[in-house]
């Protein structure tokens, strides 16, 4: 037990590249540290897209299993975060496609807003001073999560995941024009809803 | 709309706190990998891995994602090459004229 905690501290501040190199050689403790560093990021990405805590958990596990089984083949031409982000988004889009085929897309919004707690990894210091702004950001987040799938997915991919319009269009199988329009509408919905909250 | 973009930039740094210990669950899962899990590495995933390991593919994607920026870069590159060629040509011409003048002056000296 003590050994485990020592190992954890040992790896905490170690560079991501070293962790990847060690994981490639089969060092499980190094891979576990990678899991600790990126699990919440993967979970959050999955939750924003799927709006379901259980499915987000499943996707997180699936993504890390895929990474674990294939890390030897990762050449590191893109950053590990980019690799894992795209893998998460692809897995989520596949789940959404499967969901649309098997069951109703609509998830109870009440359930969504009750089930999660938001924390900020990096928060603008000037904003942190203002409680109102922090609450507004949380409000924006709630509105984003409650958006209809056709608006939510392109907006999340563009504004939160830095995908290009072309990439989004290819991923969700819609023309670039539609993607741009939907993102614009999504931003307008957020703006209008924020006005009504105030 | 500017404010919305600003808020969305902050939302980008938001993390949803899972209720369960997600790290523990993932670590447990990778500790008990079965043959079934290997099926997750399907053709689609292997294709993604292959593409991500190709420098050419990644560069093409970057160009496709930012065609405007690439066009500006290409034009700037062409302009620099043309400019260097122009300067080089002027330099060569001047050297040629200088050489001719030198020849002329030396032939004048010979006749005198």
């Amino acid at each position: 037990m003590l050994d485990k905690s020592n190992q954890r501290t040992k790896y905490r501040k170690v560079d991501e590249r070293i962790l990847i190199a060690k994981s490639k050689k089969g060092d499980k403790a190094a891979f576990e540290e990678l899991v600790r560093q990126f699990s919440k990021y993967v979970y959050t990405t999955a939750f924003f897209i799927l709006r379901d805590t259980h499915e987000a958990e499943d996707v997180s596990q699936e993504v890390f299993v895929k990474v674990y089984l294939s890390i030897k083949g990762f050449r590191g031409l893109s950053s590990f975060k980019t690799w894992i982000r795209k893998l998460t988004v692809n897995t989520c889009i596949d789940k959404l496609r499967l969901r649309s085929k098997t069951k109703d897309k609509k998830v109870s919004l009440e359930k969504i807003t009750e089930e999660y707690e938001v924390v900020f990894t990096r928060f603008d210091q000037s904003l942190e001073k203002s409680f109102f702004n922090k609450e507004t950001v949380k409000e924006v987040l709630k509105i984003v999560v409650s958006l209809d799938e056709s608006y939510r997915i392109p907006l999340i991919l563009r504004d939160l995941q830095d995908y290009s319009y072309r990439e989004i269009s290819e991923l969700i199988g819609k023309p670039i024009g539609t993607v741009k329009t939907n993102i614009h509408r999504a931003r307008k919905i957020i703006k209008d809803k924020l006005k009504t909250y105030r | 709309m500017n404010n919305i973009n600003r808020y969305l930039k902050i939302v980008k740094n938001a993390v949803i706190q899972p209720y369960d210990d997600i790290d523990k669950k993932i670590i447990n899962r990778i500790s008990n990998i079965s043959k079934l899990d290997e099926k997750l590495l399907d053709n689609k995933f292997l294709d993604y891995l292959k593409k991500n390991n190709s420098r050419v593919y990644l560069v093409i994607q970057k160009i496709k994602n930012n065609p405007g920026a690439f066009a500006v870069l290409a034009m700037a590159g062409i302009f620099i090459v043309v400019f260097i060629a122009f300067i080089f040509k002027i330099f060569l011409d001047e050297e040629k004229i200088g050489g001719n003048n030198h020849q002329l002056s030396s032939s004048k000296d010979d006749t005198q």
Side-chain angles (χ1 to χ4, degrees), chain B residues 18-34:
Chain B
Y19 280 106
D20 298 323
D21 189 351
I22 188 113
D23 300 348
K24 208 175 169 184
K25 281 188 174 178
I26 295 168
I27 290 167
N28 271 342
R29 174 89 188 263
I30 56 168
S31 301
N32 301 300
I33 282 180
S34 64

Side-chain angles (χ1 to χ4, degrees), chain A residues 39 57 73 75 94 127, chain B residues 10 23 25 31 44 53 61:
Chain A
S39 62
E57 254 186 48
R75 276 180 68 193
D94 285 345
L127 270 168
Chain B
I10 302 165
D23 300 348
K25 281 188 174 178
S31 301
K44 202 177 172 188
N53 280 335
Q61 288 303 304

Side-chain angles (χ1 to χ4, degrees), chain A residues 117-129:
Chain A
E117 186 197 338
V118 184
V119 287
F120 292 94
T121 49
R122 277 182 293 147
F123 203 81
D124 194 320
Q125 280 187 340
S126 56
L127 270 168
E128 203 161 14
K129 285 174 192 165

Side-chain angles (χ1 to χ4, degrees), chain B residues 59-111:
Chain B
V59 170
I60 291 170
Q61 288 303 304
K62 265 190 189 169
I63 294 169
K64 276 184 177 177
N65 287 336
N66 300 296
F70 178 73
V72 169
L73 265 177
M75 276 163 72
I78 291 167
F79 177 76
I80 289 167
V81 169
V82 169
F83 184 71
I84 289 170
F86 180 69
I87 297 288
F88 194 66
K89 194 182 176 294
I90 289 174
F91 178 75
L92 277 180
D93 286 350
E94 273 185 7
E95 213 168 50
K96 215 175 177 182
I97 292 165
N100 285 344
N101 285 345
H102 184 72
Q103 261 187 351
L104 275 174
S105 63
S106 61
S107 60
K108 260 185 185 178
D109 288 344
D110 287 346
T111 50

Side-chain angles (χ1 to χ4, degrees), chain A residues 98-123:
Chain A
L98 199 72
R99 192 197 277 177
S100 68
K101 278 179 193 169
T102 53
K103 61 178 182 183
D104 194 9
K105 284 184 211 171
K106 284 175 188 168
V107 180
S108 158
L109 285 182
E110 280 174 23
K111 195 184 159 205
I112 295 163
T113 47
E114 276 170 13
E115 272 187 5
Y116 67 83
E117 186 197 338
V118 184
V119 287
F120 292 94
T121 49
R122 277 182 293 147
F123 203 81

Side-chain angles (χ1 to χ4, degrees), chain A residues 9-193:
Chain A
T9 344
K10 189 179 150 194
Y11 285 124
R12 196 159 291 158
K13 287 176 185 174
V14 185
D15 193 75
E16 176 190 306
R17 274 172 295 178
I18 298 171
L19 290 175
I20 293 164
K22 288 192 173 190
S23 301
K24 278 182 171 184
K25 286 176 187 166
D27 186 336
K28 212 171 160 228
F31 190 79
E32 285 177 12
E33 187 50 36
L34 278 177
V35 170
R36 279 182 211 102
Q37 279 187 20
F38 292 98
S39 62
K40 285 182 187 73
Y41 174 71
V42 169
Y43 177 83
T44 304
T45 306
F47 178 79
F48 281 156
I49 297 175
L50 298 166
R51 298 199 303 198
D52 186 297
T53 50
H54 300 293
E55 274 194 293
E57 254 186 48
D58 287 346
V59 165
S60 308
Q61 289 186 25
E62 196 176 306
V63 165
F64 279 102
V65 168
K66 283 177 180 173
V67 171
Y68 184 70
L69 291 173
S70 62
I71 197 153
K72 280 182 187 168
F74 175 63
R75 276 180 68 193
L77 296 179
S78 57
S79 76
F80 185 70
K81 196 175 179 181
T82 306
W83 186 50
I84 210 165
R85 180 186 66 198
K86 290 199 171 177
L87 193 53
T88 309
V89 170
N90 289 351
T91 312
C92 288
I93 298 292
D94 285 345
K95 292 261 174 207
L96 277 182
R97 281 196 192 119
L98 199 72
R99 192 197 277 177
S100 68
K101 278 179 193 169
T102 53
K103 61 178 182 183
D104 194 9
K105 284 184 211 171
K106 284 175 188 168
V107 180
S108 158
L109 285 182
E110 280 174 23
K111 195 184 159 205
I112 295 163
T113 47
E114 276 170 13
E115 272 187 5
Y116 67 83
E117 186 197 338
V118 184
V119 287
F120 292 94
T121 49
R122 277 182 293 147
F123 203 81
D124 194 320
Q125 280 187 340
S126 56
L127 270 168
E128 203 161 14
K129 285 174 192 165
S130 158
F131 173 78
F132 174 74
N133 276 339
K134 201 167 182 174
E135 286 308 296
T136 314
V137 173
K138 283 191 178 179
E139 212 56 69
V140 171
L141 192 81
K142 273 186 188 173
I143 299 167
V144 170
V145 174
S146 68
L147 282 172
D148 186 70
E149 196 177 296
S150 55
Y151 297 134
R152 192 179 78 254
I153 307 297
L155 182 87
I156 287 169
L157 294 180
R158 178 72 190 160
D159 287 341
L160 309 186
Q161 302 298 334
D162 297 323
Y163 273 61
S164 69
Y165 289 117
R166 188 191 62 85
E167 283 175 310
I168 301 168
S169 151
E170 277 179 11
L171 202 64
I172 62 174
K174 280 184 181 162
I176 291 183
T178 312
V179 170
K180 283 184 179 173
T181 310
N182 286 2
I183 291 172
H184 179 75
R185 281 184 191 156
R187 287 180 187 149
K188 202 176 174 299
I189 292 170
I190 297 170
K191 195 182 172 190
D192 293 344
K193 283 198 176 175

